[in-house]
Amino acid sequence: MMTITRFSVAPLHASTMHLAAVAGGRAAADLVITGARVLSTYSERIAGDREIWLANGRVAAVMPAGAHRKGPAPKAIYDARGGIIAPGLVDPHIHIESSMVTACAYAEAALLNGTTTIFCDSHEIGNVMDVAGVEAMLDDARMAPLSIFLTVPSTVPATSPELETAGGDLTPDKIGALFDKWPEAVALGEKMDFVPVAMGDPRSHSIIAEALRRNRPVSGHIYGRDFVAPYAASGVTDTHEAIDREIANDLVDAGIWVFLRGGNPATPWNSIVEAIKPITELGASHKRFCVCTDDRDADDLLNFGLDWVVREAIRCGMKPEQAWAMGSLHGATRFGMGDEIGGLGGGRRADLVLLDDTMKPVSTWYGGELVVGDRKVTPLLEATLNQRYRYPEAAYNTVHLPRARKLVPELPTEPVIANAIGIEMPGIVLPHRKVAIEPANDWSTILERHGLSFVTVIERHGKSDGGIAHGLLQDFGIRNGAVGSSVGHDSHNIILAGTNEADMALALATIEAAKGGVVVVQDGKVTAFVGLPVAGLLSDKRVHEVAAENQALKRAWQDAGCSIPYMGFNLIPLSVIPEIRITDKGLVKVPEMVLAPLYEPTSRH
């Protein structure tokens, strides 16, 4: 049976004569979708009694209902029965790796949710496998039934070798070579080291220059209103990290596209509710705003897709037509593709979605082919998904741990001040807590007295002769057990947290045996595990299988008492977000970007 990829639709220049003939009623359409209301992202209106003529995988024309009867009979007719036909959604910022599945598997969930194009930043696999990982994901993307473009990872590692050990090092020369080799490389990915960018760091600006000299846009990642002006002056023109009304307002006035990030409200990713307020409260135009997903695990990918973010924008006060344009045309326009995707004009790719009256996707056409019908995968999509890309063997061997594994810090023998990492919802910014610790006979007394648990990061790239760092979390909430993950943003060393060394050791051994994964251990037993053997980041299963494992993990995670979701837990080593983090090198204070000791002396009065 045939399969479908991005390359199944010929370039527009090869189809203009035929499309003009179809639009002019001189040639038959491949498909007419009739009985529809049509959502125009250009005029932001919904027009009734329309039909859409498709040919060569593209839109030939949008016409009044019944117009096809006046010309050559189309090869096929689809009755939309009064539903809304809209352009496929365009996600301007995502990380495929966060979904725990490969690009081919990601496509299934995306299409079920009406998303037909994504712009992915593959800095997670880049941090593990360098250029080889990025290129493997691009090969994966080329086999996927989805239009996948790359925003080239810009900040690998996220900081420096002095502050963390990564598996990759994407230098300016490597980034320039990726731009030149891969046509899919359309922008520079999020420049996460916003403090060095603002301070004029030569490496950071050399990387930005590789994009700018090729006329490629630069994506951003920023916290703090004081950084907006120097960041914009450095050539950064979008960000998905606006977390409140004020910084979102500053960003859009500085000429920076604002990607409104929506996510499961139980996670740290639903910042759209506050960041949309420059539009809804301060009178800003929505023309420089998009919606995006950023990070989704397999379960949330199915239940909180970009279509959900569009509906969240509607709930926050946007008109449906505006919200859908923010989810389709605006993202396409940001990357210079507004004449190819994001709208239903003549010549555009026939990436279409049939919506019900609640703006939920019912059916999806990708390149003019029905891939989702009545919310179910069609045989065409099923055949494509059954021929998923297989990653090279090196990707299945990325967890290299030290033999010596002391997983908890030394017990203090005199009074100390501990530099602890506070856990607060939503779990992105983590406060620096100073905890006065008195000596005790064992750790359990100290942990219980101060609401603490251990946190340990173990270098897993085989580069630093077994670097291990110890820390303490306050208010993480875990009871009688441990959790662990080979997904530890952004260098993806192993992160463990727990109440005792034995359970932490079991969690580590489970991850090591599977070459990657996320695990929950309670009272000496593994209660949930999602294996991630590809680069320690991805499963090679279908998305629904991984989503089921993911659901079980979430239940066990909650039962263990953890106060933030595991995707928030995975951010604890992310050493570019305030106020304090832990990497394999130790505790990192942000934005000072200096290492801090676990214990500091205290004087007794």
Side-chain angles (χ1 to χ4, degrees):
M1 185 175 182
M2 68 173 285
T3 60
I4 187 169
T5 70
R6 176 165 63 91
F7 306 99
S8 299
V9 176
L12 179 59
H13 67 77
S15 296
T16 54
M17 289 177 63
H18 182 60
L19 289 169
V22 172
R26 294 179 286 109
D30 295 333
L31 173 67
V32 169
I33 302 174
T34 190
R37 290 171 285 163
V38 172
L39 191 158
S40 171
T41 53
Y42 306 122
S43 64
E44 296 183 352
R45 295 177 294 183
I46 296 177
D49 297 322
R50 293 292 188 273
E51 60 186 31
I52 301 178
W53 299 358
L54 308 184
N56 288 11
R58 294 182 176 273
V59 175
V62 178
M63 304 293 280
H68 69 278
R69 299 190 188 100
K70 300 176 183 178
K75 296 175 184 177
I77 295 176
Y78 182 99
D79 187 355
R81 298 181 179 179
I84 300 168
I85 294 289
L89 292 170
V90 176
D91 198 330
H93 179 76
I94 70 106
H95 304 284
I96 289 175
E97 301 97 317
S98 294
S99 70
M100 301 177 159
V101 296
T102 65
C104 287
Y106 184 101
E108 180 176 4
L111 292 169
L112 284 166
N113 291 328
T115 299
T116 51
T117 301
I118 62 174
F119 293 85
C120 76
D121 182 340
S122 55
H123 70 218
E124 317 299 359
I125 201 167
N127 267 287
V128 176
M129 296 179 63
D130 203 82
V131 169
V134 177
E135 295 195 324
M137 183 159 280
L138 284 166
D139 285 333
D140 181 8
R142 285 187 169 186
M143 289 182 64
L146 193 70
S147 295
I148 301 177
F149 298 95
L150 176 71
T151 60
V152 178
S154 67
T155 320
V156 176
T159 52
S160 69
E162 290 72 34
L163 296 180
E164 61 186 326
T165 305
D169 180 18
L170 293 185
T171 63
D173 287 346
K174 290 178 182 178
I175 287 169
L178 283 167
F179 275 125
D180 294 339
K181 180 178 179 181
W182 295 88
E184 297 94 328
V186 297
L188 190 67
E190 59 176 303
K191 203 73 189 79
M192 300 185 66
D193 54 341
F194 62 92
V195 176
V197 169
M199 299 303 293
D201 174 71
R203 172 176 164 132
S204 299
H205 282 262
S206 294
I207 288 171
I208 290 173
E210 293 297 324
L212 295 180
R213 68 166 51 100
R214 293 171 173 83
N215 293 316
R216 300 289 197 274
V218 177
S219 298
H221 166 121
I222 181 173
Y223 288 86
R225 298 174 71 183
D226 290 346
F227 295 102
V228 171
Y231 208 46
S234 300
V236 179
T237 44
D238 76 47
T239 182
H240 57 285
E241 294 289 0
I243 60 173
D244 58 37
R245 185 184 75 171
E246 283 66 34
I247 194 168
N249 198 55
D250 290 351
L251 289 163
V252 74
D253 275 341
I256 295 177
W257 283 82
V258 176
F259 296 168
L260 300 168
R261 179 177 58 203
N264 183 340
T267 72
W269 278 269
N270 201 39
S271 52
I272 184 174
V273 177
E274 294 300 320
I276 202 171
K277 289 181 177 178
I279 305 171
T280 59
E281 293 184 358
L282 301 180
S285 167
H286 67 292
K287 67 182 179 182
R288 297 277 288 190
F289 287 79
C290 305
V291 294
C292 76
T293 58
D294 191 10
D295 294 287
R296 289 288 191 278
D297 61 41
D299 180 31
D300 283 353
L301 181 61
L302 290 165
N303 296 308
F304 296 93
L306 190 60
D307 62 312
W308 181 88
V309 188
V310 168
R311 293 192 297 276
E312 187 77 347
I314 296 169
R315 191 187 68 80
C316 290
M318 302 300 295
K319 294 179 180 179
E321 302 89 337
Q322 293 175 326
W324 200 269
M326 289 163 61
S328 54
L329 180 62
H330 290 202
T333 302
R334 190 278 177 272
F335 292 107
M337 298 185 189
D339 292 334
E340 173 75 357
I341 55 176
L344 300 182
R348 275 59 169 182
R349 273 186 63 104
D351 297 340
L352 315 175
V353 185
L354 174 63
L355 304 170
D356 64 19
D357 286 344
T358 67
M359 303 296 285
K360 291 183 179 179
V362 176
S363 298
T364 304
W365 289 262
Y366 178 62
E369 299 288 346
L370 187 66
V371 289
V372 175
D374 294 327
R375 299 186 172 95
K376 294 179 181 178
V377 169
T378 65
L380 171 60
L381 182 55
E382 186 71 31
T384 306
L385 295 170
N386 286 334
Q387 298 186 33
R388 299 189 306 283
Y389 174 77
R390 167 78 183 186
Y391 276 75
E393 288 306 311
Y396 288 85
N397 189 31
T398 65
V399 176
H400 307 282
L401 300 181
R403 293 180 181 178
R405 302 177 184 179
K406 179 175 173 55
L407 300 182
V408 300
E410 294 291 342
L411 185 70
T413 57
E414 58 185 35
V416 295
I417 300 294
N419 289 305
I421 301 170
I423 301 298
E424 294 180 357
M425 287 296 286
I428 296 181
V429 174
L430 301 179
H432 183 178
R433 303 261 179 85
K434 298 273 190 176
V435 181
I437 294 178
E438 296 288 333
N441 294 328
D442 55 47
W443 265 114
S444 60
T445 301
I446 294 173
L447 298 183
E448 183 176 357
R449 181 182 300 158
H450 298 286
L452 299 172
S453 56
F454 301 118
V455 61
T456 302
V457 174
I458 305 118
E459 194 271 312
R460 63 111 157 172
H461 305 294
K463 287 190 170 184
S464 66
D465 195 26
I468 299 179
H470 304 112
L472 295 168
L473 302 178
Q474 189 170 53
D475 300 327
F476 182 56
I478 188 169
R479 301 183 296 269
N480 304 319
V483 295
S485 176
S486 57
V487 181
H489 296 284
D490 270 337
S491 290
H492 298 294
N493 293 304
I494 308 295
I495 178 170
L496 305 170
T499 60
N500 64 87
E501 190 165 20
D503 284 342
M504 293 170 72
L506 177 56
L508 182 61
T510 303
I511 293 169
E512 183 178 26
K515 299 297 185 182
V518 186
V519 63
V520 179
V521 174
Q522 287 282 275
D523 297 318
K525 296 180 180 179
V526 173
T527 58
F529 179 66
V530 179
L532 303 173
V534 180
L537 301 171
L538 307 171
S539 171
D540 46 17
K541 300 176 182 177
R542 288 273 291 268
V543 68
H544 285 87
E545 294 178 80
V546 183
E549 295 176 355
N550 203 201
Q551 290 168 1
L553 177 76
K554 290 178 179 179
R555 289 191 294 269
W557 193 274
Q558 189 171 31
D559 290 345
C562 302
S563 59
I564 57 171
Y566 77 90
M567 287 186 75
F569 173 76
N570 292 343
L571 294 179
I572 291 174
L574 184 51
S575 55
V576 293
I577 299 180
E579 297 174 351
I580 188 167
R581 303 281 156 165
I582 182 170
T583 72
D584 65 300
K585 298 291 188 178
L587 295 170
V588 180
K589 294 170 66 177
V590 184
E592 298 91 333
M593 307 311 295
V594 296
L595 293 171
L598 176 57
Y599 303 133
E600 295 178 357
T602 183
S603 57
R604 303 183 70 176
H605 299 286

